[in-house]
Amino acid sequence: MARMTFRSCMPHIRPGSAGSRFRPCASRGERAHEPRRACPRGVAWTTETPDSPAPATIPPTDDCRRTIACGAPRVARARVGATRRGASGGRLRGIALLATLALVPAARPDDEPAAASPVRPALTSLERELGWTALFDGRDLAGWRSTDGAPPGDGWRVHDGVLEQSGGAGDLLSTRVLRDVELRFAFRVAPGGNSGVKLRVLPAGRPGAGGAPLAAPVGLEFQILDDLAHPDAASPSHRCAALYDLVPRDGALDARLDLAGTWHAAGVRLDGGRLTHRLDGARVLRVQLDDAAFAERVAHSKFAGVPDFGRLAGPVLLQDHGDPIAFRDVVVRDLAALPGRPAAPPPFDAGVPPRDVGSPAFADVRPFDVVGAHTLAGDDLDWRALGDARWTLRDDEILGETDGGSQSFLVSRRAFGDAIVQLDVLVEGKGNSGIQVRSHVSDAGRMFGYQVEIDPSERAWSGGLYDEARRGWLDDLSDQPEARAAFRSGEWLRYRIELAGPSIRPFVDDVPCADVLDPLDLEGHLAFQVHAGQDTRVRWRGLRVRDLGTRAWEPLPVDAPPSSRDATGTRAWARDASSDARPSWTAAGRGTWALASDAPREDEALRVELRARGDVRLALLLRARSVADGLAAWDASDADAPRDPDARHADDAAPDAPTRLALPAGGRLLLLPRVADDAAHSLALCTYGARVAVHLDGRLLLDARVDDLAPSGACGWLARLGDDATLELARPERLGEPR
């Protein structure tokens, strides 16, 4: 049985704040924001009475697991489906709201065979937006060839989403040619096995050392090896995750890894002259390919004298070294052809080009012009200062340092939504700092919003995500030792922040740090922070932004409900027609009501406003085979049963994490905590791949990876009402595509 754990997220938000029915608290000079709401498209409301036939029993299960440290990336595997706008060109279907009695189909008999599980796609729609594509899609070998240009040999076999070979099949080359690239893959090496993945490959026959033709393709190789059983492990630079024959992985001089027979997540990022390797979530190698030390290593390796070794664009190679090897989830991102557009402003005014900024796909954002100690000149400048810190432009660097000691920020005038932000940071003092993204300035001049931490203290939460002047820590890295180890005071470190829809992912020196799904703010300003105090000196350089567009919440068209009927039992939703664009609907009376659709749905972010009076219990339906499965599971369960005592929840003092029910064919039903009576609330649901996040009034209730969640299925909202209870749902919306 898997274990589910949760991340704490306690917002300074209360339901029903003054000034708006559904706005969060706007205290301490903060700007009030519209709430998060959730509601799916193309759905139908149904209600069931206690007289309905008893469904089959489906017991609760603890099936969800939050991935928090080593292993595959936490935002996992989904694909864009035809129901998403922009994927197929189809428009949103309306929502039909109705209430009926005893119309729930029977559950599937236990002896009925389940349909074969589809291969889960390796990428979510958010990852695709950020430029990731599949090199191996889990279905066939399209996009691959043998080293002689022929189709792949028979020794390579695709089975259940896995690419396997048992030896003697020959190397595989991708048909795509790449230079600056980020690659992710999972591998399983056999006991005693040897293989590898190569980038910037030079083909066999090309002139090698002394002009002699290369006998086999060569490239920068992520070594795959059973360190415990293969004789090549005698050399540290031949052990697993090394840059083969050149640079051992970190710690390889002291230890060998026990990896054979199990799946492991790996990654390579090759950006200009910077190369990093990751293994099971940890960065295990970092090397600069264009410095003298690396040239010396090449000169003493088997690649000595090979012209242009590791410099030119080339295919990706999966190696057949004669031993069984398996790969899955092989995905790639071409860093020289990222989606979106470079942010427009010209480079630094000082006229000195940024140092080693990597891929030319980014464009520089002009920092600012400084007049005196604290002010900026002109209304057309790109940045403005808040607080009393000193900001100085030195060649291609910005220096921020404390002066009067107040909380200070250098804020971009332009706002960004979905984007990739990259810059280098050097901390000279002991003071705390940060990088604001999607942030805002209140009328009182107070900066608030998402802050990527720069933390030189011993707790080492650099790369964590903090909600400045609002909810506090969203992901503090206390459970991620690999991420905390990435920051090194007194050195230039590269920060990269990837923003796509509700996803915020910072990287420090190519090490993944915080990983948050939070739909509160979809756009806002960039800013650099000089923290309050007397000991902060921070330098920034090479700021680059890739603009991917901005998203907006889209109203869902709602079909008119049927009229009230006779005493046979059908009851209609009451519609508030005060706003035709975003109407509200009210259900009243005992029964189980559903806002859900049997139409398959995949990646989505949804939100809805609600107000409950009386005995009301809410649930979320996730990728079920049918709405009937969710209704049957709820009726067969004890909705008020105690939660699993082994689960760790967002707030130990408030036992309100959702109860989880498993449904047939990989669906799930999440029973939510009861909400305050007769108070306005906002409810948001984010489902991307196998990851599920639920927020109530801005507070995180659940952030989990459900490994066997169906790739698609029926989604929506269920509600159980008691006598004299009512439920109002308003402003159902979904998150649109970036524009």
Side-chain angles (χ1 to χ4, degrees):
M1 181 176 290
R3 177 186 177 97
M4 175 183 278
T5 57
F6 300 86
R7 192 167 55 207
S8 178
C9 178
M10 295 294 294
H12 299 147
I13 293 179
R14 67 177 185 267
S17 300
S20 173
R21 292 171 54 213
F22 298 107
R23 290 197 175 196
C25 177
S27 60
R28 297 185 300 161
E30 302 167 17
R31 184 180 72 179
H33 282 268
E34 289 191 357
R36 287 163 283 182
R37 314 172 187 93
C39 187
R41 299 163 296 173
V43 296
W45 284 85
T46 56
T47 180
E48 178 189 34
T49 68
D51 298 328
S52 301
T57 300
I58 305 176
T61 180
D62 183 5
D63 58 288
C64 304
R65 176 174 56 83
R66 161 89 192 284
T67 306
I68 57 176
C70 296
R74 282 180 280 181
V75 178
R77 306 179 187 125
R79 63 188 177 89
V80 180
T83 58
R84 292 183 60 86
R85 177 172 292 189
S88 69
R91 64 182 181 88
L92 302 179
R93 291 187 294 266
I95 301 176
L97 294 152
L98 53 135
T100 61
L101 298 177
L103 296 179
V104 180
R108 176 174 59 87
D110 292 338
D111 58 355
E112 179 182 333
S117 298
V119 175
R120 181 181 295 281
L123 295 168
T124 68
S125 60
L126 298 181
E127 290 172 309
R128 292 183 187 278
E129 180 195 340
L130 291 166
W132 289 95
T133 58
L135 273 185
F136 168 60
D137 65 4
R139 294 171 173 80
D140 55 44
L141 284 171
W144 295 89
R145 59 179 176 84
S146 297
T147 54
D148 60 1
D154 293 338
W156 290 97
R157 185 174 74 102
V158 178
H159 178 69
D160 288 341
V162 176
L163 176 59
E164 301 174 320
Q165 68 87 24
S166 55
D171 297 339
L172 277 185
L173 287 174
S174 69
T175 57
R176 291 189 63 182
V177 174
L178 303 157
R179 185 178 188 276
D180 290 352
V181 62
E182 190 167 3
L183 179 73
R184 293 198 322 241
F185 59 95
F187 69 87
R188 183 183 62 206
V189 63
N194 184 349
S195 184
V197 176
K198 301 180 184 180
L199 298 174
R200 294 186 181 175
V201 171
L202 300 175
R206 181 186 175 89
L214 293 171
V218 299
L220 300 168
E221 179 179 348
F222 182 104
Q223 169 76 328
I224 298 174
L225 195 78
D226 177 6
D227 285 0
L228 298 185
H230 199 285
D232 277 10
S235 170
S237 65
H238 291 187
R239 293 175 187 169
C240 196
L243 178 58
Y244 175 73
D245 206 45
L246 293 167
V247 184
R249 72 168 188 273
D250 296 345
L253 299 178
D254 305 315
R256 303 187 186 195
L257 301 179
D258 184 6
L259 302 175
T262 56
W263 283 103
H264 299 275
V268 181
R269 185 176 173 93
L270 185 51
D271 188 4
R274 295 167 57 95
L275 172 67
T276 57
H277 286 180
R278 295 201 308 272
L279 180 63
D280 289 339
R283 188 191 63 205
V284 295
L285 181 144
R286 182 184 61 167
V287 64
Q288 195 69 31
L289 302 180
D290 51 8
D291 65 12
F294 183 74
E296 184 71 14
R297 289 179 181 270
V298 173
H300 291 85
S301 74
K302 63 172 58 179
F303 310 114
V306 177
D308 296 319
F309 173 77
R311 298 178 183 174
L312 303 180
V316 177
L317 183 147
L318 305 181
Q319 186 183 50
D320 172 14
H321 207 280
D323 301 314
I325 185 69
F327 296 97
R328 70 184 185 196
D329 301 339
V330 184
V331 297
V332 69
R333 176 161 62 171
D334 185 350
L335 300 181
L338 291 172
R341 57 192 180 277
F348 288 176
D349 295 340
V352 179
R355 304 185 187 96
D356 184 31
V357 293
S359 170
F362 290 92
D364 294 295
V365 176
R366 184 176 63 197
F368 58 98
D369 298 319
V370 177
V371 176
H374 312 301
T375 62
L376 303 177
D379 295 332
D380 59 345
L381 296 177
D382 299 305
W383 299 81
R384 60 175 173 149
L386 299 178
D388 57 11
R390 291 192 303 271
W391 303 98
T392 308
L393 182 63
R394 293 183 174 179
D395 296 329
D396 62 338
E397 300 172 7
I398 303 167
L399 171 64
E401 53 189 335
T402 51
D403 188 0
S406 71
Q407 192 84 293
S408 301
F409 298 89
L410 187 67
V411 187
S412 71
R413 292 189 181 274
R414 179 180 171 185
F416 295 91
D418 288 9
I420 304 174
V421 180
Q422 178 178 292
L423 71 160
D424 295 341
V425 177
L426 172 64
V427 177
E428 294 182 338
K430 297 180 180 179
N432 179 282
S433 183
I435 304 164
Q436 299 288 142
V437 295
R438 292 182 175 175
S439 295
H440 305 273
V441 179
S442 71
D443 293 340
R446 181 70 167 94
M447 170 67 67
F448 66 97
Y450 303 117
Q451 180 185 118
V452 177
E453 187 78 355
I454 300 173
D455 179 12
S457 72
E458 292 184 0
R459 74 179 181 181
W461 287 356
S462 292
L465 191 66
Y466 184 79
D467 195 0
E468 174 74 17
R470 196 161 51 180
R471 293 173 294 174
W473 284 104
L474 304 182
D475 192 349
D476 61 14
L477 306 189
S478 60
D479 56 359
Q480 298 180 59
E482 295 85 4
R484 295 199 306 273
F487 186 86
R488 298 175 306 282
S489 223
E491 298 183 31
W492 281 106
L493 299 174
R494 179 154 298 171
Y495 270 66
R496 187 174 77 257
I497 307 163
E498 300 185 355
L499 307 163
S503 174
I504 304 175
R505 295 211 67 190
F507 298 76
V508 176
D509 239 24
D510 297 331
V511 177
C513 297
D515 185 357
V516 172
L517 286 179
D518 188 278
L520 183 58
D521 285 317
L522 299 175
E523 60 83 29
H525 301 275
L526 300 175
F528 303 149
Q529 183 198 43
V530 170
H531 200 278
Q534 298 298 326
D535 192 20
T536 300
R537 281 177 57 89
V538 186
R539 294 157 66 186
W540 292 273
R541 71 181 186 193
L543 172 62
R544 303 202 156 200
V545 179
R546 191 76 180 177
D547 185 357
L548 304 178
T550 301
R551 296 173 185 257
W553 291 101
E554 300 174 347
L556 296 176
V558 178
D559 297 334
S563 302
S564 298
R565 299 183 183 178
D566 59 22
T568 57
T570 301
R571 294 167 294 181
W573 285 78
R575 182 178 186 273
D576 178 0
S578 59
S579 173
D580 291 334
R582 290 180 170 86
S584 64
W585 304 86
T586 301
R590 174 176 293 276
T592 302
W593 302 68
L595 172 64
S597 171
D598 283 335
R601 313 177 70 79
E602 299 172 358
D603 286 3
E604 285 193 297
L606 313 168
R607 69 181 186 179
V608 73
E609 298 172 351
L610 64 95
R611 185 185 294 271
R613 298 176 179 87
D615 183 13
V616 177
R617 188 73 189 272
L618 298 169
L620 298 176
L621 185 67
L622 301 179
R623 298 182 187 166
R625 186 182 55 181
S626 67
V627 177
D629 283 348
L631 295 170
W634 198 353
D635 286 342
S637 71
D638 179 3
D640 296 314
R643 295 169 305 152
D644 185 346
D646 292 330
R648 184 164 56 86
H649 301 93
D651 178 13
D652 291 335
D656 57 2
T659 301
R660 302 160 307 281
L661 305 181
L663 308 179
R668 292 295 183 275
L669 186 69
L670 304 179
L671 306 186
L672 302 179
R674 297 182 185 276
V675 297
D677 191 56
D678 201 19
H681 300 276
S682 61
L683 186 60
L685 167 67
C686 299
T687 55
Y688 291 94
R691 188 173 177 187
V692 180
V694 180
H695 291 78
L696 179 64
D697 298 328
R699 180 173 179 271
L700 182 66
L701 297 183
L702 172 69
D703 185 0
R705 177 186 167 92
V706 186
D707 286 330
D708 60 346
L709 182 66
S712 65
C715 294
W717 311 88
L718 307 184
R720 178 170 289 173
L721 277 62
D723 293 334
D724 301 322
T726 61
L727 173 65
E728 178 188 356
L729 296 173
R731 300 172 61 88
E733 294 176 310
R734 70 176 291 273
L735 188 58
E737 301 297 331
R739 303 184 187 281

